[in-house]
Amino acid sequence: MDSIRIKGGKPLNGKIEISGAKNSALPLMVASLLTEDTLTLSNLPHVADISTLITLLCHHGAIAVMNGESANGGGCDGRSLSINAKNITNTEAPYDIVRKMRAGALVMGPLLARIGKARVSLPGGCAIGTRPMNLHISALEEMGAKITITGGYMEAEAPDGLTGADIRFETVSVGATENLLMAASLAKGTTVLENAAKEPEITDLVHLLRAMGADITGEGTSRLVINGVDRLHGTSYRVMPDRIETGTYAIAAVITGGKIELTNTHASLIRSVLDALEEAGADIEETENGFIISRDGPTVHGVDIMTLPYPGYPTDMQAQFMALMTLADGAAMITETIFENRFMHVPELARLGANITVHGHSALVRGVKRLVGAPVMATDLRASVSLVLAGLAAEGETIINRVYHLDRGYERLEEKLAACGADIERIHTS
Ligand code: UD1
């Protein structure tokens, strides 16, 4: 298993180009199952989750071609992917794939809408929480699907197709909103989704579905109205910039006291994060295709944050902000309201000298003067990158083990940070 070695304490200065958004690319790729035509996506990030989803789509019978080369065996490195799902030969999403990447369960809605059946593994829990599928299941049932759970699989059938329904989600769920948007696009009649997620990745999916011929209104609001159509067609579409990667590198600049220009992105995608960073003492200057961020002063101030659905502060940026707050000249209360167990990075940050006390869903971070490098262990994608950020600011050497989590969602992380002056390298172990 690879690890990452960082010699910290250097301000980062330079430019980082932001990749396409993993969390947008995944549902956009799944939308290929809704049409017999070819869907071509550009600005795709080269991260492990994309390869895992290609494997799943090919397992369903899709043909995926990346930059002209067959990607069926994985191991592709292009940015433009064409997927053709004319012949769906298998409607099962196996445990081995879905347990690695929960987004695999998004195939349920499209398969039901197009083929009338799907057998999808329950994703199971993960480090950050139990992550149930009840919202996906009950909403698809309201549209006429019959779903039973047997042997760890959701076995779903809609022999007469799906029918539009008025659905009110009891909790805001990004995945359930995406699954239902895709299912409703090919259903009979009108579906209304209330308390829908408003994340920019939902807007990206609506824009793609519309380009494929879907009739959807309300993106960016909590009420989506979908008039089902008989068929969707192929299109070409560019994946939006990764707002979590954007926020992560913004914090890299601030935590090291450097100055980084982020390109191929927009400040408006992570306004809540930039507001918190400005309050902590960051300077932000918007540019034509991104922004420049630096720290104004020798330290940052303590700022409280609470994670919330968009446009609130994103849970996927909680761990990174906590890393920053460990070095604040005061205290910060960090409250996690989306996932029940998303403080796995706390004991690891403590190994670097952070002073953090967890009370239920809140963590009180009392800033310390310095962090000192140590061996630490990555537990999930965003927790891992918070350890990278802390390691960049810590004195001496930090070794982060189990970095396969990072590879799921950050493209060429070491290369991008090294280009800004970080002393960072990957250690390959067999
Ligand atoms: C997506 C993101 C993930 C992000 C999360 C919240 C992708 C691939 N992943 O995950 O990075 O952290 O949004 O912004 O886009 N819930 C239920 N029942 C359900 C579904 C969800 O109770 O059927 C709960 C979850 O346990 C969680 C909350 O709803 O507490 C939000 O989860 P959700 O928005 O569904 O997250 P994902 O779509 O899985």
Side-chain angles (χ1 to χ4, degrees):
M1 263 185 250
D2 289 1
S3 43
I4 283 182
R5 178 164 50 208
I6 299 172
K7 291 194 182 118
K10 289 186 175 176
L12 299 191
N13 289 293
K15 196 188 265 200
I16 294 179
E17 190 182 347
I18 298 302
S19 301
K22 167 185 85 78
N23 284 357
S24 189
L26 296 173
L28 299 187
M29 287 164 67
V30 171
S32 66
L33 296 175
L34 291 165
T35 174
E36 294 193 351
D37 301 345
T38 299
L39 174 67
T40 301
L41 299 172
S42 58
N43 198 34
L44 220 64
H46 181 216
V47 295
D49 274 8
I50 299 292
S51 308
T52 306
L53 186 58
I54 290 174
T55 307
L56 178 61
L57 295 174
C58 294
H59 173 84
H60 291 311
I63 295 169
V65 179
M66 194 143 225
N67 281 354
E69 278 176 38
S70 172
N72 289 27
C76 40
D77 63 358
R79 278 183 193 284
S80 164
L81 173 72
S82 294
I83 310 167
N84 183 287
K86 187 173 175 38
N87 299 312
I88 294 179
T89 51
N90 185 332
T91 52
E92 176 170 316
Y95 176 62
D96 260 4
I97 296 185
V98 180
R99 85 181 151 80
K100 273 195 242 160
M101 190 197 54
R102 184 181 158 82
L106 290 179
V107 300
M108 189 156 68
L111 288 176
L112 265 179
R114 176 132 168 249
I115 308 290
K117 63 175 188 169
R119 185 171 188 267
V120 178
S121 170
L122 281 165
C126 66
I128 63 175
T130 52
R131 307 193 79 177
M133 289 292 292
N134 59 314
L135 299 172
H136 301 241
I137 294 172
S138 58
L140 288 168
E141 283 176 340
E142 285 185 59
M143 296 186 72
K146 302 260 174 294
I147 305 179
T148 49
I149 294 180
T150 322
Y153 278 77
M154 297 174 280
E155 303 208 336
E157 265 188 12
D160 302 324
L162 296 172
T163 316
D166 287 352
I167 294 162
R168 187 177 176 83
F169 295 113
E170 70 198 42
T171 309
V172 178
S173 162
V174 174
T177 304
E178 290 166 346
N179 219 336
L180 269 291
L181 264 173
M182 290 190 275
S185 293
L186 281 184
K188 287 184 212 104
T190 301
T191 301
V192 180
L193 303 178
E194 303 270 9
N195 201 25
K198 294 183 280 197
E199 268 67 4
E201 291 78 11
I202 301 285
T203 301
D204 217 26
L205 177 61
V206 171
H207 288 171
L208 169 78
L209 292 171
R210 203 177 276 147
M212 291 170 73
D215 178 355
I216 306 174
T217 51
E219 70 271 27
T221 76
S222 55
R223 186 172 192 272
L224 293 162
V225 180
I226 308 113
N227 294 310
V229 296
D230 288 341
R231 71 176 291 274
L232 295 173
H233 53 75
T235 193
S236 296
Y237 191 82
R238 184 178 165 84
V239 178
M240 65 174 272
D242 195 314
R243 63 193 171 101
I244 306 302
E245 191 195 23
T246 304
T248 301
Y249 291 129
I251 292 185
V254 180
I255 200 170
T256 62
K259 183 173 184 175
I260 299 182
E261 178 175 0
L262 299 169
T263 62
N264 190 28
T265 186
H266 309 286
S268 60
L269 290 173
I270 48 157
R271 189 58 66 198
S272 58
V273 175
L274 295 185
D275 286 349
L277 290 176
E278 271 182 325
E279 208 183 324
D283 259 352
I284 295 158
E285 183 196 324
E286 289 192 35
T287 61
E288 220 163 78
N289 68 342
F291 57 94
I292 298 168
I293 180 158
S294 58
R295 184 169 81 199
D296 180 20
T299 57
V300 291
H301 316 298
V303 175
D304 297 346
I305 56 154
M306 180 185 283
T307 64
L308 286 170
Y310 191 84
Y313 191 96
T315 175
D316 286 351
M317 283 298 304
Q318 179 256 105
Q320 299 90 316
F321 197 77
M322 189 183 291
L324 177 66
M325 289 297 103
T326 63
L327 288 164
D329 63 5
M333 180 72 88
I334 296 189
T335 305
E336 173 61 55
T337 75
I338 309 290
F339 292 109
E340 69 266 31
N341 189 23
R342 211 172 194 180
F343 286 139
M344 307 281 284
H345 39 287
V346 167
E348 301 302 312
L349 289 170
R351 292 179 52 73
L352 302 176
N355 179 348
I356 307 168
T357 318
V358 175
H359 299 278
H361 293 296
S362 294
L364 178 63
V365 187
R366 293 183 176 90
V368 293
K369 290 255 174 305
R370 59 187 197 125
L371 297 176
V372 179
V376 288
M377 193 178 72
T379 50
D380 71 67
L381 173 54
R382 309 303 172 185
S384 320
V385 89
S386 78
L387 301 174
V388 171
L389 294 172
L392 290 169
E395 291 167 16
E397 187 175 279
T398 296
I399 306 249
I400 300 156
N401 294 302
R402 295 203 186 168
V403 294
Y404 56 85
H405 290 291
L406 278 176
D407 297 333
R408 286 188 50 205
Y410 287 90
E411 180 178 62
R412 296 181 291 108
L413 174 106
E414 311 92 273
E415 210 180 291
K416 289 187 182 192
L417 288 170
C420 293
D423 189 339
I424 180 168
E425 64 172 340
R426 182 175 289 246
I427 309 162
H428 295 287
T429 40
S430 53

